[in-house]
Amino acid sequence: MRPSGRAPDQLRKVSLEPGFSRHAEGSCLVKFGDTHVLCTASVDERVPPWMRNSGKGWVTAEYGMLPRSTHTRTDREAARGKQSGRTQEIQRLIGRALRAVVNMPAMGERQINIDCDVLQADGGTRTASITGSWVALHFAFERLIKEGKLAANPMTGQVAAVSCGLWEGTAEDKPFSEPQFMELLVLAKKGIVELTHLQRLAIGKA
Amino acid sequence: MRPSGRAPDQLRKVSLEPGFSRHAEGSCLVKFGDTHVLCTASVDERVPPWMRNSGKGWVTAEYGMLPRSTHTRTDREAARGKQSGRTQEIQRLIGRALRAVVNMPAMGERQINIDCDVLQADGGTRTASITGSWVALHFAFERLIKEGKLAANPMTGQVAAVSCGLWEGTAEDKPFSEPQFMELLVLAKKGIVELTHLQRLAIGKA
Amino acid sequence: MRPSGRAPDQLRKVSLEPGFSRHAEGSCLVKFGDTHVLCTASVDERVPPWMRNSGKGWVTAEYGMLPRSTHTRTDREAARGKQSGRTQEIQRLIGRALRAVVNMPAMGERQINIDCDVLQADGGTRTASITGSWVALHFAFERLIKEGKLAANPMTGQVAAVSCGLWEGTAEDKPFSEPQFMELLVLAKKGIVELTHLQRLAIGKA
Amino acid sequence: MRPSGRAPDQLRKVSLEPGFSRHAEGSCLVKFGDTHVLCTASVDERVPPWMRNSGKGWVTAEYGMLPRSTHTRTDREAARGKQSGRTQEIQRLIGRALRAVVNMPAMGERQINIDCDVLQADGGTRTASITGSWVALHFAFERLIKEGKLAANPMTGQVAAVSCGLWEGTAEDKPFSEPQFMELLVLAKKGIVELTHLQRLAIGKA
Amino acid sequence: MRPSGRAPDQLRKVSLEPGFSRHAEGSCLVKFGDTHVLCTASVDERVPPWMRNSGKGWVTAEYGMLPRSTHTRTDREAARGKQSGRTQEIQRLIGRALRAVVNMPAMGERQINIDCDVLQADGGTRTASITGSWVALHFAFERLIKEGKLAANPMTGQVAAVSCGLWEGTAEDKPFSEPQFMELLVLAKKGIVELTHLQRLAIGKA
Amino acid sequence: MRPSGRAPDQLRKVSLEPGFSRHAEGSCLVKFGDTHVLCTASVDERVPPWMRNSGKGWVTAEYGMLPRSTHTRTDREAARGKQSGRTQEIQRLIGRALRAVVNMPAMGERQINIDCDVLQADGGTRTASITGSWVALHFAFERLIKEGKLAANPMTGQVAAVSCGLWEGTAEDKPFSEPQFMELLVLAKKGIVELTHLQRLAIGKA
């Protein structure tokens, strides 16, 4: 059994707190155990030139860690003058995950910027970010409906993410076999079922 | 009377919540009304080469705003690849303010990095940052005492900051007279008295 | 049937040409149809400070596209002053894939830099890069053996990559079901069997 | 008495030489003792998009030091690829100081760029820059009047700056008391009276 | 006699292979001995704003080296975040050399981007780049003629380059005399005659 | 005859003013007509690691223009965050020109940094920079002799530069013939004779 005392198929304590941010159209503070991520969704009606008259919208994401969200302090990316490869990889993943469940023509010619900022890190920040961002994005669309700018929510499904101990950590120097992969897939699906249930609770539709 | 309904000499609701961050040696979530800043103090025992054998320590500060801490989204400085002039000016101010009340030789050859990250902004982020950072810094020194690395807290006084409506906003195109300046000084001192009292409460010494 | 006239389970014409580069310790020009990638493996005996006395080596990768490798010209990343998120994501993927099949302590305290430069692009550059880099890496280790610096090749297995039309392209706005995923897995395994056979031919061990 | 032999309320030898630069609409070489700063004011009629139809102008400033203006050579900021925090803080200060004495609507929809370049440094470069820039700015406006583009000079007052030995140097680790502050204020006012007199001489209005 | 066994007035083995690149409007793989450079010419019909209605075109060049084109690996400029002074100097030289033989009004309002990417380096990369780029540029213009966008090829002459052992290497600390210079000029002209003949062969006009 | 009224073989009015800068080991303000360049030579005894125990010194150069040295204001390179290709090309040229007349082993293991900063530009800044830098460099070596760090001046000759109207301006679209080149060479030599005479006057050795 792992140091944390959790069973292999047991998620850390998860909480989703929508409306954490006063200014953002949608927001959610997500906690996966000691990992805390503030997810906000910001609507931008001024679309970039290449999007004009396309009849489609866009969802994009950025990710960052507060310098002392980590056990020892990490250099501030703004001070170093560039985002690390890790940061870029994660924010691209978040954007792709969310775009997979949004009907782009239905959201209209506008862009939604997702920001995932890690206030405290204890592993699994990318999965927490995806899970919390979905909630923030949902509320941003609801706001657009309330303002009469959208007739219906353009989200076509839910997206949540869970790691099974192989995405981060020791996986690199020890690939896993196909049966192991299938076993992990079962574990992951169990976790996803729990997370999507919590997401529905968070948006008041459980 | 101002839109907020506050009297001219009345501070916004201020709160100081120490220990907000799990990892940092010292931390404080400071709220000046709807302005929320997370201040952390991180001890770095590996001093830069130019500090070795100097017999002195150093305190430095960095400042950042979450992209959607503001009313409309601000570009992420890490994505733009550099810190704005405003950011640099503010973080230099915070560092100078704190160094003014620390006995550098007494803190030993180590560096303390202060990080002030604005989670939500509604004016006065630099004054909130200074006020909260002092509390975070205090606790970082206390931690060093507890670990036997320092015999006494090297802070020589308190530092807090308040703005009187002239630092930010309309001041630029309307300089003020000397009598006005003296009047503002009185107001500011009143505010500082309140803030330093709250700081002492926060560190359990009021 | 696709415009190319290939069957769903048919790879594009693949070729692996080792020793393409005169200077590199290991190299391979890989062609997946009209996608041509030059992969080199460069041995660096001067390990970074954090690796010294660790008893381990490291393999890392960088990726780039010539500006006119693409159908219309793409801006040169060196001129723009930074690598795109896509580039960073791909080079991290290549590095991870290769490290998964190398015994780090067995390769000694040295670093091998993999460079994957796309001379001509027609889709699938990341899978071609992984497949060709494995060959280049193999020959770099063989060179170290020949020079008496290693007793045996520290590679623990083969790694190759194939895309099934879902990684790039339309996948974003249309997630696939679990049965579809399983079907794709079968296709992918078939492709991998072919590629690993070609890799063994290229290193003279088929 | 200080090493320089000056009395506590005595300024260093100050000179203001307008028209130093052949190309600039306004210019002034200012010397505060061995500190020499070349200040130029450049009129830009092409205002940025956000200023169009605002009915207002803008004044902004940039500051730089020649690498060997200092006692030992300082790295060139253009070569390092970014301006230091100190540079940014100073140029923001210069811009704010000048904007405080310009009637923005009266100057018309144009921007004036102030450049303060330190040819030789011996302390007090920021105060010299502010004092000299005011003269350069004055002449830029006079040029616009001569060209028939402005009916009157839109400057609403003078601005000069003096340091009292507390802004730079030992102030950091030794805050000063309120009585000390008041005493310094008296000294500063005396210096400002002298500097503004020299400014009026420089523009031919003393 | 030099290690290579060549006579003082003998060029290395030169080859020019047009059409190497599938996508580019014009391309040429040039080999000067073991120095291999891929030159492409890309037509851009969207001219920058300052060129519109000028009635003229423009030719510009960029240069890069693959990291392991050199004997030991060179850092990737895209990863370092900027082009070296050497790179910038060379690409400016290539651009100037080509513009000297193009009639800018005759080429119409379009830009041609030359990319010279060194696949393998063994000295003389800049001279190889100029020589090969001329061929690539020729074919880009021919393509425009074939597409009916140009009536005739706007090139006014040929340009090729050769180094005489003084441009790179020991020249720095040993300037040469005027008679030596004249002698080298004779050698260089001989080499240029050979190269321009090979260029004419490459474009089918020898 | 040219607009300036000068004969074809007549230099602009040239002046060389050594000792312009108070701090630099060597300095010279050079004026070629309305082109004014401040050249400084700074001795750095802390050589970079790769130079230690090489038994040789190094001379390098940097070049910059004040933003309003030009007829209309040019963006500040430090603010843009990088040096232009033109700047890099010029500073490399200056460094090479000076190194050609310095005996590197004789100057000892130290580096001299040349800074050429254009205060006012009216064409020919690179030739003025080379000519003035030689004087600055001379005095830096003399200083080292006076301080007992060198026994003799390690300069092996003089270097000056003149442009003949073909390096900058219309040369690009109109190459010149060999006879024209020879004619220009004669003109250039005449100018160089005058400049080197002025250099010897400036160092008190005419």
Side-chain angles (χ1 to χ4, degrees), chain D residues 178-189:
Chain D
E178 195 172 332
Q180 283 174 316
F181 176 72
M182 293 304 164
E183 201 175 332
L184 288 166
L185 207 57
V186 171
L187 277 179
K189 282 198 291 183

Side-chain angles (χ1 to χ4, degrees), chain C residues 20-25 34 38 40-43 62-64 66-71 73 76-79 81-83 91 113-117 119-122, chain E residues 20-25 34 38 40-43 62-64 66-71 73 76-79 81-83 91 113-117 119-122:
Chain C
F20 183 85
S21 166
R22 179 189 177 81
H23 300 307
E25 283 77 23
D34 282 327
L38 174 52
T40 60
S42 300
V43 177
E62 287 185 5
Y63 169 94
L66 294 199
R68 197 52 196 275
S69 61
T70 42
H71 197 263
R73 189 177 180 271
R76 190 178 287 267
E77 292 191 328
K82 63 177 195 172
Q83 295 181 302
Q91 62 195 16
N113 297 288
I114 301 295
D115 286 289
C116 297
D117 284 277
L119 305 187
Q120 194 168 281
D122 188 40
Chain E
F20 183 85
S21 168
R22 178 191 178 79
H23 299 307
E25 283 77 22
D34 281 328
L38 174 52
T40 58
S42 301
V43 177
E62 287 186 3
Y63 169 93
L66 295 200
R68 196 53 195 277
S69 61
T70 43
H71 198 262
R73 188 177 181 273
R76 189 178 288 267
E77 293 191 326
K82 64 176 192 171
Q83 295 180 304
Q91 63 196 16
N113 298 288
I114 301 294
D115 286 287
C116 298
D117 284 277
L119 305 187
Q120 194 169 280
D122 188 39

